[in-house]
Amino acid sequence: MSGIIPQCLGSFADSLELLNLRNNKLHGPIPQTYNNGTQLTMINLSQNQLQGSVPRSLVNCSLLESLDLGNNHINDIFPFWLKTLPELKVLILRFNRFHGAILNPNSSFAFPKLQILDLSHNGFTGKLPSGYFHTWTAMKTIDVNQLTYVGGVVSVVNNVNLTLTNKGVEIVYLYILNVFTAIDLSSNRFEGEIPESIGILKSLHMLNLSNNNLIGQIPSSLGNLTELESLDLSRNKLSGEIPQQLTQLTFLEFFNVSHNQLTGLIPRGRQFNTFENNSYEVNSGLCGDPLSKKCGNFEASPSSKFEQDDDHSWFPISKSDWIVICMGYGGGLVVGLIVGNALTTRYHEWFISTFGRNQKKQGRKKKSGRRN
């Protein structure tokens, strides 16, 4: 379909629940006519040629669970006013012309049920929206009770029909599990460091911060994201070593830190034994397996206790432990020699003084016997 979306479409929202106009040739602005009482739970206008801004009247869609405006020509700032939607779980704004910084929320209840956020391929600037990390409650807790079965089927968000880049591949999702969580902020102009507070989003399955201007070290708190399956930090300006805590991510299937300024020994053990060269390329300071560049004397030292457990090393003692052991053996040997020497000298003196005198007495008796 081509043309513009008629303004009167908003007047059907009091009875319409699903609106899916994706993958057409629609252009012009998105209708602004969304009134109170709307029944819409899903709006998908992706892959069109829509322009203008995000309608502020969408705040009236109190039942809205999924909003996908990806792959259009929308020119706007981050629609922070959507934070009041109590049921919003999916927000896709990828491949548009959004710009500016994402300011911290002025409420602790912003986007409380948000599970999937895709802002990739826009022009967002400033620091990562760490203020929202504390408000995204659905991404902070791992609730096994959410895996409820209805008629033998795991509970899902129905008819989302959205596109995500997961594990380096674009995937179209017709349905998503109620427990699936993802953040994609890639291909923007975010700058500054990755905040440690990102580690509180413990239910995250996918995190993509690639192709930005991020600096500093990879936070060790990422090791707290134990549900993480895909982590992409490539094409930034990150420095320092890869944290050993990341070896705790036992579900991690995709890992990419290429095209950064990382240094040091690549962690080994668990999932890190499965990642290949392309996960680390264009980091001149990195060394160790699977790269051909070795780390010299550091190569022999084990990465972490997690690697030791999983690799079943025959005698998992670190270099520092060996030094302590050798010092202990050396010190013990010296003390042993001193004490042994003292005891031997005393025993020798006692032996001579005791048995030597007896031998002398016996010798005298023999001599006196001969004379008699």
Side-chain angles (χ1 to χ4, degrees), residues 302 304-305 307-309 312-318 321-322:
S304 67
K305 62 179 181 180
E307 177 186 348
Q308 294 164 4
D309 293 341
H312 306 289
S313 55
W314 66 276
F315 200 54
I317 299 177
S318 66
D321 290 338
W322 275 116

Side-chain angles (χ1 to χ4, degrees), residues 193 214-219 236-243 260-263 283:
E193 298 184 354
L214 301 176
I215 61 172
Q217 297 186 341
I218 299 174
N236 280 287
K237 300 175 182 178
L238 300 173
S239 57
E241 298 183 353
I242 300 174
N260 277 287
Q261 301 167 12
L262 299 171
T263 58
N283 283 281

Side-chain angles (χ1 to χ4, degrees), residues 313-343:
S313 55
W314 66 276
F315 200 54
I317 299 177
S318 66
K319 185 177 180 181
S320 58
D321 290 338
W322 275 116
I323 294 174
V324 173
I325 291 171
C326 292
M327 290 175 64
Y329 276 121
L333 181 61
V334 172
V335 173
L337 289 173
I338 294 173
V339 173
N341 182 61
L343 291 175

